[in-house]
Amino acid sequence: MHILFLTDNFPPEVNAPASRTFEHAREWVRAGHQVTVVTGVPNFPTGRVFPGYRNRLWQQEWMEGVRVIRVWTFVAANRGRIRRTLDYLSFGLMAVLGGLCIRRPDVVVGTSPQIFTVCAAWLVSRVKQRPFVFELRDLWPASIQAVGAVRRSTLLKAVDAVVRFLYRQAALVVCVTESFRTELLALGVNRARIVVVRNGADGTRFFPRPKDRELLHRLGFDGYLVVGYIGTIGMAHGLQTVLEAARELEREPVRFLLVGDGAERVALERLAQRWGLTNVRFAGLVSKDDVVRYWSVLDLALIPLRKTPVFRTVLPSKLFESLAMGVPVLLGVEGEAARLVAETGVGLCLEPEHVPALVSAIRHLRSSPGELQAMQRRCVAVAAQHSRTRRAQEMLKVLEHVVTGMTSQVELAPPAPVHAEFGLCAPEPSPSCGTGAAVDVMGEQATTRHPEAGRL
């Protein structure tokens, strides 16, 4: 099978769509399939072309057996509405041209959140008369409306109409959460054309390991509880809450680390300087290889989103990386993500953008090392259910289903119950775990599969 995949982001970019697409494509190639990815020159999120690349009309490279076609785009940083829209639109147009030049694909996949990419995949599929699969990573226009990126009602209505059209045209819509499936059903999308393939983590890169002492020393974090955020520093994450918590904890043995770049980074750095915060470090954008070094120094991972209804439907991909690294989470996200964390006991669930709750949770876990270690063990156990290899196999089954022309609903094997597979006793689910969430763990059963694991 020849899979043609259109995505606006791809390695060496390190955001969630880039990682998911590459790690899936790599597994499909290993399974004996041909994969061609049409993408742009790597520049996210700074808008600066990565070293070793040029923004050319057409260039080709191979990455672990995956053929990568890079097309010209209007390069812009992940901030500013007009320039960013031009970036999105230019890639959509060029992706059509690039996709039409690919010979004999069996299926065409377009991934959001960038909706012009999915439009391009649909158009290429029509011209080539091949099935079109919509990989749905964000609910548009609800997501862009939630962060205030677009406020004009006429534009939001137009985006909504385009998205609904794409839902109808897709042979299958692949969602990353169960909540997305529920939203699609409410819009009238046929249940048989909706499949859920969650995010996961690459177990060959993300696994528990000793803290990187050189990095810890360079950051000046020796002897402190390290609380960190790793990912895009964007409009959706409400990271000012983290700085406000750092302000409250400035005299306590806690340090905060923010790794990444994005539309809000400069404003947050200026705010930290204005407040004179000495317990916060901004590491900026780091390479794919260095990301795990920064994960290793964390004692707690921050996974926040703004307090808005649409974010109750998401499962942040960094949650799975945190689990795979054995790092408990402080989750400032409601809905499906909170249920996962509450039921497995891998961290604490907090009200989004609520500073007192975040401060209280950090103080609680700093003074409860036994509880923190138990959470670490649970993280490793639960992560095994969410390996990227497993998710790639699920997605491959979906694509094979489409190519063979089957019309029945795709049935993926349900995940094994956590308590049965890993010896965990799951707590009663609740809207918020709080600091009193209790989960018993059989520590001798919750072991990592990687030979270098040595953190727990």
Side-chain angles (χ1 to χ4, degrees):
M1 179 170 60
H2 182 188
I3 303 165
L4 174 57
F5 204 112
L6 275 58
T7 174
D8 196 17
N9 297 110
F10 200 71
E13 295 171 327
V14 295
N15 62 345
S19 297
R20 175 180 169 107
T21 302
F22 169 67
E23 289 161 12
H24 280 187
R26 178 185 61 192
E27 294 299 324
W28 301 337
V29 168
R30 290 174 179 172
H33 299 282
Q34 180 182 355
V35 182
T36 301
V37 172
V38 175
T39 187
V41 63
N43 70 89
F44 182 89
T46 63
R48 294 189 295 270
V49 176
F50 284 29
Y53 289 89
R54 293 177 61 188
N55 193 17
R56 295 174 175 169
L57 186 65
W58 173 282
Q59 51 196 315
Q60 175 177 288
E61 63 180 303
W62 293 83
M63 300 179 68
E64 297 194 38
V66 179
R67 184 189 181 197
V68 183
I69 304 299
R70 298 189 185 273
V71 295
W72 178 90
T73 62
F74 178 87
V75 173
N78 189 37
R79 60 178 67 92
R81 298 174 190 170
I82 296 177
R83 292 178 62 84
R84 194 165 25 167
T85 300
L86 290 174
D87 185 348
Y88 293 168
L89 181 58
S90 66
F91 176 71
L93 295 173
M94 295 303 297
V96 171
L97 299 178
L100 292 176
C101 292
I102 306 304
R103 299 181 61 188
R104 294 191 293 275
D106 294 299
V107 61
V108 183
V109 186
T111 188
S112 66
Q114 211 271 66
I115 202 64
F116 294 116
T117 301
V118 188
C119 291
W122 166 75
L123 186 55
V124 171
S125 74
R126 289 298 300 269
V127 173
K128 290 188 171 291
Q129 298 184 320
R130 294 293 184 267
F132 156 59
V133 173
F134 185 162
E135 184 181 62
L136 179 64
R137 298 184 50 85
D138 259 332
L139 293 174
W140 276 40
S143 292
I144 57 175
Q145 187 176 16
V147 299
V150 176
R151 294 186 176 89
R152 291 173 55 189
S153 60
T154 54
L155 186 56
L156 290 170
K157 288 178 181 178
V159 172
D160 183 57
V162 171
V163 172
R164 288 172 184 252
F165 170 80
L166 293 170
Y167 291 154
R168 294 193 300 270
Q169 294 296 310
L172 279 177
V173 180
V174 179
C175 307
V176 296
T177 72
E178 291 290 344
S179 299
F180 283 8
R181 189 209 304 259
T182 301
E183 294 289 330
L184 292 182
L185 290 173
L187 292 174
V189 180
N190 189 328
R191 179 181 294 272
R193 294 194 294 109
I194 309 171
V195 179
V196 177
V197 179
R198 280 182 169 180
N199 281 313
D202 180 359
T204 65
R205 293 179 56 227
F206 297 99
F207 54 86
R209 62 186 73 204
K211 289 196 174 191
D212 189 310
R213 292 294 166 184
E214 186 278 329
L215 177 58
L216 200 65
H217 181 71
R218 176 153 52 89
L219 292 168
F221 286 177
D222 291 290
Y224 293 94
L225 181 82
V226 182
V227 183
Y229 173 86
I230 299 178
T232 302
I233 301 178
M235 300 168 65
H237 302 100
L239 289 171
Q240 181 172 328
T241 302
V242 178
L243 298 190
E244 293 175 7
R247 201 178 189 183
E248 292 286 328
L249 295 165
E250 194 165 14
R251 296 182 180 275
E252 300 183 33
V254 179
R255 292 294 181 265
F256 292 83
L257 176 64
L258 283 79
V259 181
D261 204 343
E264 296 295 297
R265 179 189 166 190
V266 172
L268 290 172
E269 285 186 328
R270 289 174 178 168
L271 182 61
Q273 291 172 358
R274 188 163 70 247
W275 287 351
L277 297 178
T278 59
N279 58 346
V280 179
R281 296 285 184 277
F282 288 84
L285 193 64
V286 302
S287 71
K288 180 179 177 181
D289 292 335
D290 281 342
V291 164
V292 292
R293 297 183 62 207
Y294 284 88
W295 272 112
S296 78
V297 304
L298 301 188
D299 297 297
L300 290 168
L302 294 164
I303 304 181
L305 285 171
R306 285 187 174 181
K307 187 176 177 62
T308 183
V310 69
F311 291 145
R312 295 174 185 166
T313 65
V314 306
L315 264 174
S317 59
K318 62 178 67 66
L319 171 60
F320 302 106
E321 295 173 358
S322 182
L323 299 182
M325 293 293 297
V327 180
V329 301
L330 296 175
L331 183 78
V333 184
E334 298 174 324
E336 186 166 341
R339 289 193 294 273
L340 174 61
V341 171
E343 291 168 4
T344 57
V346 295
L348 300 179
C349 307
L350 313 173
E351 181 181 346
E353 299 187 282
H354 192 263
V355 177
L358 178 56
V359 170
S360 176
I362 292 171
R363 284 174 173 158
H364 170 76
L365 290 176
R366 185 177 64 81
S367 62
S368 307
E371 183 176 349
L372 188 60
Q373 290 168 6
M375 287 180 176
Q376 291 173 349
R377 292 193 293 271
R378 294 182 205 121
C379 286
V380 178
V382 174
Q385 297 181 75
H386 302 285
S387 74
R388 191 70 85 181
T389 299
R390 176 173 178 167
R391 297 297 182 233
Q393 292 168 349
E394 292 175 352
M395 184 77 167
L396 183 59
K397 181 178 179 180
V398 168
L399 299 180
E400 290 173 337
H401 174 99
V402 170
V403 169
T404 56
M406 298 173 65
T407 57
S408 60
Q409 184 172 3
V410 183
E411 295 293 340
L412 299 178
V418 174
H419 67 276
E421 187 170 352
F422 301 107
L424 302 184
C425 302
E428 292 298 319
S430 62
S432 176
C433 0
T435 57
V439 182
D440 294 329
V441 61
M442 305 298 290
E444 65 275 9
Q445 294 182 358
T447 55
T448 179
R449 295 177 290 112
H450 201 285
E452 296 184 33
R455 174 173 182 147
L456 303 184

